[in-house]
């Protein structure tokens, strides 16, 4: 039996080869992939006709045949792995409709190599836009939650130990800023994917007088990918997108771990509605925060996919090969799909997280998180160095703890006893003044420095980040509109050509 796609090979592809190498990627040829394939072939056919490289009647047959393939949908295409990939399967169906000879003219001046690269670039662009749109929804939810809780005082933590008072809104503002950077990383991939490889052919271009600018324009590309070898042999825009998504997943995993800790019985400072939780099959009392566990797991899966992709590509030659342009990327595309599906869940988490404000404030009052403010007060009002003040307050805290008390046990007598032991002097301080220094809300309100947790500072940052979000949305809409306009332009050009 002859090979299905080449007379060079005198034998049919071995079933083991077909099922292992060719079948898996062809199973993903869905309606979205078909639309990309149709658009790519339409743009190339129009260009060939415009350049006089194929006869008008041939171009018309090809364009009408592609329209029929699109109308039939992917199920009408024989995805037999003997065809090696979806392009040959597509060409086979087109040949069944208009005749194999007519369909064969479509392959002038190109190769599966530049076709595959261009399809991957189109897919990467689409994923960028979709992920960025979903990220913007989640960013908005995070900013809104930060605004709602800009005055909800809570302990801030370092090394998961109480550090200084902040607000839950301030915490979320920090998350929003991190998401802003992750958005920028994903957005930065778009222009590197937005270059058309069609015309590179196998890698050395073609001797036919094709118009690469025309095909690039019809497909909405901003540039032409050059040189040809790099255009077809590199998929670094895919691995870069995978890296950017993984980076964002790592951020979300860390945030999920924080929220997860706050929801534990021992912390009891954060609640979610029952609709956002799971339960146990045996323990009736259980309320398990599965969505937060999901984000921790997804980060690990993304890291694994990224490591696998880079490991597969690193040993490949700087040319076309399965490991460099197909197998090395196999795990990337599912990561993008899972991330897109997870972002609405992230939005839900931001929308439904409810801090226990009373408990959080009580924790701040009991856990010595205002100790730095006491030291600052000594520096400001009693003229000692911060290092001396640090030692004095540290000893005072130790004395209170040794008595088995919490921060409410820190009084002027204890502070002065510590000062006498540390620096040989005491301070004329009223209990009222000391209480004002240890008040968590006052501590937060005093930190009006740019970037600080004071509500006024937090709201200023949120306003700035909201402006950034609006700018990102506008830029995203510009790119999306451009692709829609290009698709419409291609459709209109075909209609005009067919008269």
């Amino acid at each position: 039996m002859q090979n299905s796609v080449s007379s060079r090979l005198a034998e049919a592809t071995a079933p083991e080869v077909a099922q292992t190498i060719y079948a898996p990627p062809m199973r993903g040829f869905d309606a979205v992939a078909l639309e990309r394939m149709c658009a790519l072939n339409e743009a190339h056919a129009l260009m060939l006709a415009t350049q006089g490289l194929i006869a008008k009647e041939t171009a018309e047959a090809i364009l009408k045949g592609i329209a029929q393939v699109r109308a039939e949908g992917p199920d009408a295409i024989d995805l037999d792995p003997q065809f090696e990939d979806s392009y040959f399967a597509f060409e086979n169906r087109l040949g069944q409709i208009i005749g194999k000879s007519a369909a064969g003219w479509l392959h002038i001046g190109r190769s599966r190599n530049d076709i595959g690269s261009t399809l991957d670039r189109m897919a990467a662009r689409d994923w960028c836009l979709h992920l960025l749109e979903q990220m913007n929804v989640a960013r908005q939810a995070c900013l809104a939650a930060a605004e709602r809780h800009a005055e909800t005082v809570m302990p801030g933590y370092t090394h998961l130990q109480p550090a200084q008072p902040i607000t839950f809104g301030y915490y979320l503002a920090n998350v929003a800023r991190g998401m802003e950077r992750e958005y920028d990383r994903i957005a930065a991939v778009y222009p590197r994917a937005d270059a058309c490889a069609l015309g590179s052919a196998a890698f050395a271009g073609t001797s036919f007088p094709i118009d690469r600018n025309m095909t690039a324009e019809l497909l909405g590309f901003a540039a032409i990918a050059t040189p040809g070898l790099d255009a077809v042999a590199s998929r670094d825009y895919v691995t870069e997108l995978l890296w950017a998504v993984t980076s964002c997943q790592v951020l979300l995993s860390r945030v999920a771990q924080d929220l997860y800790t706050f929801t534990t019985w021992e912390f009891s400072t954060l609640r979610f509605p029952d609709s956002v939780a799971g339960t146990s099959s045996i323990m009736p009392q259980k309320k398990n925060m599965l969505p937060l566990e999901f984000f921790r797991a997804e980060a690990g899966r993304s890291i694994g996919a990224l490591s696998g992709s880079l490991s597969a590509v690193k040993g490949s030659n700087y040319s076309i090969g399965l490991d460099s342009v197909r197998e090395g990327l196999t795990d990337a595309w599912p990561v993008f799909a899972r991330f897109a599906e997870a972002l609405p869940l992230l939005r839900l988490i931001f929308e439904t997280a409810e801090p226990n404000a009373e408990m959080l404030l009580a924790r701040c009052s009991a856990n010595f998180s205002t100790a730095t403010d006491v030291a600052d007060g000594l520096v400001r009002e009693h003229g000692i160095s911060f290092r001396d003040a640090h030692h004095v307050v540290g000893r005072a805290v130790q004395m209170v703890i040794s008595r088995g008390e919490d921060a409410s046990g820190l009084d002027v007598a204890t502070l002065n006893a510590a000062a006498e032991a540390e620096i040989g002097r005491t301070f004329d301080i009223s209990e009222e003044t000391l209480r004002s220094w240890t008040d968590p809300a006052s501590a937060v309100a005093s930190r009006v420095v740019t970037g600080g947790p004071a509500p006024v500072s937090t709201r200023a940052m949120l306003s700035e980040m909201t402006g950034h979000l609006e700018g990102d949305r506008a830029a995203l809409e510009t790119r999306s509109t451009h692709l829609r306009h290009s698709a419409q332009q291609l459709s209109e050009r075909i209609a005009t050509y067919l008269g």
Side-chain angles (χ1 to χ4, degrees):
M1 180 179 176
Q2 187 176 357
N3 186 274
S4 297
V5 297
S6 174
S7 296
R8 164 63 180 84
L9 302 178
E11 299 175 346
T13 302
E16 295 85 351
V17 174
Q19 290 302 317
T20 302
I21 297 177
Y22 301 137
M26 293 179 75
R27 283 194 285 268
F29 191 73
D30 56 13
V32 175
L34 174 60
E35 179 54 38
R36 293 191 190 109
M37 184 76 78
C38 288
L40 181 147
N41 284 308
E42 288 170 334
H44 189 68
L46 273 178
M47 182 275 295
L48 292 177
T50 301
Q51 294 298 101
L53 294 172
I54 57 175
K56 181 175 176 57
E57 57 270 21
T58 301
E60 290 177 348
I62 289 173
L63 291 171
K64 291 177 180 178
I66 293 172
Q68 181 174 333
V69 174
R70 176 187 280 113
E72 292 174 341
D75 291 342
I77 298 175
D78 182 4
L79 295 174
D80 185 341
Q82 288 288 334
F83 287 123
E84 296 191 2
D85 62 31
S86 56
Y87 170 71
F88 275 126
F90 179 94
E91 186 182 89
N92 177 68
R93 180 59 189 146
L94 183 63
Q96 291 173 343
I97 295 171
I98 68 172
K100 294 189 180 298
S101 179
W105 285 95
L106 185 58
H107 209 57
I108 290 176
R110 66 180 189 175
S111 159
R112 271 189 300 174
N113 294 357
D114 58 344
I115 292 171
S117 176
T118 301
L119 290 172
D120 283 348
R121 290 165 186 270
M122 294 169 74
R125 288 189 316 188
D126 289 345
W127 275 119
C128 280
L129 296 180
H130 182 55
L131 294 175
L132 293 174
E133 181 180 13
Q134 292 297 314
M135 282 192 70
N136 281 342
V137 176
R139 287 168 67 192
Q140 179 64 60
C142 185
L143 290 170
E147 174 63 36
R148 286 197 305 274
H149 299 294
E151 299 186 30
T152 304
V153 177
M154 66 172 283
Y157 296 89
T158 60
H159 307 279
L160 202 55
Q161 298 295 329
Q164 292 179 286
I166 57 172
T167 68
F168 190 55
Y170 176 75
Y171 173 85
L172 291 176
N174 285 266
V175 175
R177 183 67 85 191
M179 291 180 64
E180 186 179 275
R181 289 195 303 275
E182 303 301 346
Y183 180 98
D184 290 343
R185 291 186 179 101
I186 293 175
V189 178
Y190 189 93
R192 285 187 274 280
D194 196 23
C196 186
L198 280 180
S200 301
F203 69 88
T206 176
S207 60
F208 289 100
I210 62 173
D211 185 347
R212 296 192 66 189
N213 285 305
M214 179 179 175
T215 49
E217 179 183 349
L218 289 174
L219 294 173
F221 284 100
I224 295 172
T226 60
L229 173 59
D230 178 72
V232 301
S234 295
R235 298 292 193 278
D236 50 4
Y237 49 90
V238 179
T239 53
E240 183 183 10
L241 181 57
L242 179 56
W243 182 89
V245 167
T246 302
S247 177
C248 189
Q249 293 275 37
V250 169
L251 167 67
L252 299 182
S253 177
R254 297 179 70 191
V255 174
Q257 177 59 27
D258 279 349
L259 303 185
Y260 192 76
T261 300
F262 298 158
T263 62
T264 61
W265 179 265
E266 289 74 15
F267 270 74
S268 298
T269 53
L270 187 65
R271 297 183 292 257
F272 286 90
D274 291 351
S275 61
V276 189
T279 188
S280 167
S281 66
I282 184 174
M283 294 168 284
Q285 83 283 8
K286 293 300 294 296
K287 179 177 178 178
N288 299 325
M289 288 313 303
L290 304 184
L292 301 177
E293 296 174 346
F294 172 85
F295 279 103
R296 294 187 310 185
E298 273 303 293
R301 296 180 72 181
S302 291
I303 291 169
L306 177 61
S307 299
S309 291
L310 295 178
S311 296
V313 173
K314 75 170 184 61
S316 64
N317 295 325
Y318 194 35
S319 60
I320 283 287
L322 279 182
D323 42 359
S324 60
V325 304
R326 181 185 294 177
E327 295 302 315
L329 306 179
T330 298
D331 294 331
W333 307 107
V335 168
F336 305 153
R338 290 198 307 272
F339 186 51
E341 292 172 352
L343 287 169
L345 177 60
L346 179 65
R347 170 196 55 76
L348 181 66
I349 287 171
F350 289 139
E351 288 178 346
T352 59
E354 188 59 41
N356 185 335
E358 184 178 344
M359 174 84 69
L360 287 168
L361 183 60
R363 293 277 172 84
C364 287
S365 299
N367 63 16
F368 298 98
S369 63
T370 55
T372 301
D373 296 271
V374 176
D376 289 346
L378 293 177
V379 172
R380 278 194 302 266
E381 299 186 18
H382 295 275
I384 64 173
S385 73
F386 182 81
R387 188 54 55 212
D388 282 346
H390 187 280
H391 290 321
V392 168
V393 177
R395 179 179 282 257
V397 168
Q398 179 58 44
M399 292 168 66
V400 173
I401 292 174
S402 67
R403 298 199 299 258
E405 300 174 341
D406 63 20
S408 62
L410 178 59
D411 53 18
V412 172
T414 303
L415 185 65
N416 275 328
E420 182 67 41
E422 287 289 333
I423 60 175
R425 59 165 292 188
T426 60
F427 306 105
D428 183 13
I429 302 174
S430 68
E431 293 291 346
E432 181 180 2
T433 296
L434 182 58
R435 292 283 77 79
S436 70
W437 291 350
T438 58
D439 176 57
S442 297
V444 170
S446 70
R447 283 168 166 73
V448 295
V449 64
T450 301
V456 63
S457 299
T458 297
R459 290 191 169 106
M461 289 184 287
L462 294 176
S463 177
E464 181 264 323
M465 282 188 273
T466 298
H468 196 157
L469 174 59
E470 292 171 354
D472 286 340
R473 280 177 166 155
L476 181 61
E477 180 56 29
T478 297
R479 283 175 169 169
S480 298
T481 299
H482 174 71
L483 289 187
R484 289 193 298 268
H485 175 75
S486 297
Q488 181 64 30
Q489 181 186 37
L490 175 58
S491 179
E492 291 174 355
R493 290 281 295 268
I494 292 171
T496 299
Y497 187 81
L498 294 177

